[in-house]
Amino acid sequence: MATQALEPQDFAALPDMPDDVFTAPLRKPDHVGDDWLEPRQADYSSDDDAIWNDLFARQMDVLPGRAASAFMAGLQKLNLNRGGVPEFGRLSEDLGALTGWSVVPVPMLIPDHVFFWHLANRRFPAGNFIRTRETFDYIQEPDVFHDVFGHVPMLTDPVYADYMQEYGRAGWKAMRYNRLKALGALYWYTVEFGLIHEAGGIKAYGAGILSGPAEVVFATEARSPNRIMLNVDRVMRTDYVIDDLQPTYFVIESFEDLFRQTVERDFDRLYRNLGPGFTYANSAVIDLDNVVHRGTQEYLLRGGRGSGAQQV
């Protein structure tokens, strides 16, 4: 993710989004500025706190032995088991002392260039709302539980924390080349749905896995999905699923390996050779893959979530 000399090195100013960059249109709420930050964290009710506590307890029933040790250690370092939705000020104080990161509230999904800017400055934007009982099992837009429980404990790991900052810096380069979708695939298959070799097995470190009870078992143990060693060039050419369990997961050897594969990659050369769309289907296994487990794809072939297929 090495940056070119023409890029601002301090990332102090919010970048303008060029008119010719392809990105999802989002309407900014009137009460937030160009940084999309909420004036303050929401006041959560006792019912909201109860939802957080129930979500937390459900995950803790399935994560031991399946979650990366860095994640489990991060939960302890940040005392996320205090009960109720964490207070961002206190959370940022604890996290800042460990790796220099903070957690900031945003009203919804935010534009790519704003998200990159916050990451580049070691700020993690977290949804300023929590799901309802009716959406307890599945929510389309990430809420405070997904963002804080799923993402923030990993930011206590120094190498992973540096990776996330470098990812934010890399976003500005992707915008110049109009390759945000390719960079998004890298985020999806690492930050959201990444797996790691650890203690003789496969553990999860991606927030999309760690914040959902079905996905953590499916990703680490099921027969259906492929598990393939991470190759950055391949991943950035690979489509992904946004509303169901993943047909393929990518595995790293260590967070140092993840950092090395990305930060030391010449992304200018990569972007010049990337097409605007994806090359590989999300279930594909190709010749260059280092395959840990070739999945049966039974869950996908039987129709996935909408069909009621078993998550095997």
Side-chain angles (χ1 to χ4, degrees):
M1 297 186 191
T3 57
Q4 292 181 343
L6 58 85
E7 294 184 20
Q9 295 302 299
D10 61 2
F11 297 89
L14 179 65
D16 293 326
M17 176 66 81
D19 293 336
D20 60 350
V21 170
F22 307 140
T23 188
L26 295 173
R27 182 172 180 176
K28 182 168 67 68
D30 293 337
H31 71 281
V32 299
D34 291 339
D35 60 7
W36 284 66
L37 295 184
E38 294 270 30
R40 60 185 179 85
Q41 187 181 5
D43 293 322
Y44 290 103
S45 68
S46 58
D47 289 340
D48 294 331
D49 285 334
I51 289 172
W52 170 280
N53 292 340
D54 290 348
L55 288 166
F56 188 99
R58 182 172 71 170
Q59 290 312 106
M60 295 312 295
D61 283 340
V62 296
L63 289 182
R66 299 184 177 105
S69 58
F71 176 83
M72 299 302 289
L75 288 177
Q76 294 297 317
K77 291 173 184 176
L78 298 174
N79 295 310
L80 288 185
N81 61 347
R82 291 184 181 117
V85 179
E87 197 274 311
F88 285 8
R90 184 175 184 178
L91 187 59
S92 295
E93 186 175 324
D94 293 340
L95 187 58
L98 292 166
T99 59
W101 276 77
S102 63
V103 182
V104 292
V106 294
M108 53 187 281
L109 285 173
I110 63 178
D112 292 317
H113 69 299
V114 182
F115 181 67
F116 295 144
W117 179 62
H118 285 305
L119 295 187
N121 287 281
R122 298 177 91 88
R123 295 186 295 265
F124 191 81
N128 204 20
F129 63 97
I130 195 165
R131 68 194 70 182
T132 64
R133 290 286 177 187
E134 290 71 29
T135 57
F136 193 83
D137 293 324
Y138 176 73
I139 186 170
Q140 289 185 322
E141 188 171 350
D143 67 343
V144 68
F145 185 79
H146 169 86
D147 285 338
V148 172
F149 180 89
H151 284 284
V152 173
M154 286 302 309
L155 293 173
T156 64
D157 181 89
V159 178
Y160 185 85
D162 288 346
Y163 168 74
M164 288 292 286
Q165 181 177 34
E166 291 297 330
Y167 184 91
R169 292 174 173 176
W172 295 11
K173 181 176 291 186
M175 286 192 297
R176 287 208 314 276
Y177 283 97
N178 228 330
R179 291 297 179 263
L180 288 176
K181 196 162 183 65
L183 190 66
L186 179 61
Y187 189 90
W188 193 260
Y189 283 119
T190 60
V191 177
E192 290 290 355
F193 293 96
L195 299 176
I196 185 171
H197 266 302
E198 190 175 275
I202 298 291
K203 305 293 176 65
Y205 71 90
I209 302 174
L210 295 167
S211 58
E215 190 107 23
V216 69
V217 177
F218 184 81
T220 58
E221 299 174 8
R223 300 187 306 270
S224 288
N226 302 316
R227 299 179 188 92
I228 299 170
M229 296 306 296
L230 179 72
N231 176 298
V232 169
D233 292 38
R234 190 264 208 252
V235 162
M236 293 179 73
R237 292 176 166 89
T238 305
D239 201 359
Y240 50 88
V241 177
I242 63 172
D243 57 358
D244 208 339
L245 303 175
Q246 302 301 306
T248 298
Y249 299 89
F250 291 91
V251 185
I252 60 173
E253 290 288 357
S254 65
F255 297 120
E256 290 81 4
D257 171 52
L258 173 63
F259 190 88
R260 183 173 57 254
Q261 283 202 55
T262 51
V263 176
E264 295 180 5
R265 179 65 169 93
D266 180 359
F267 272 50
D268 291 283
R269 182 178 179 183
L270 175 60
Y271 288 144
R272 285 194 295 268
N273 290 287
L274 277 179
F278 290 124
T279 304
Y280 307 121
N282 51 45
S283 59
V285 176
I286 62 176
D287 289 346
L288 62 80
D289 285 338
N290 181 358
V291 180
V292 178
H293 167 80
R294 181 156 190 163
T296 64
Q297 297 300 323
E298 178 180 343
Y299 176 75
L300 174 67
L301 294 173
R302 290 187 182 279
R305 176 180 284 128
S307 70
Q310 289 190 330
Q311 298 167 2
V312 296

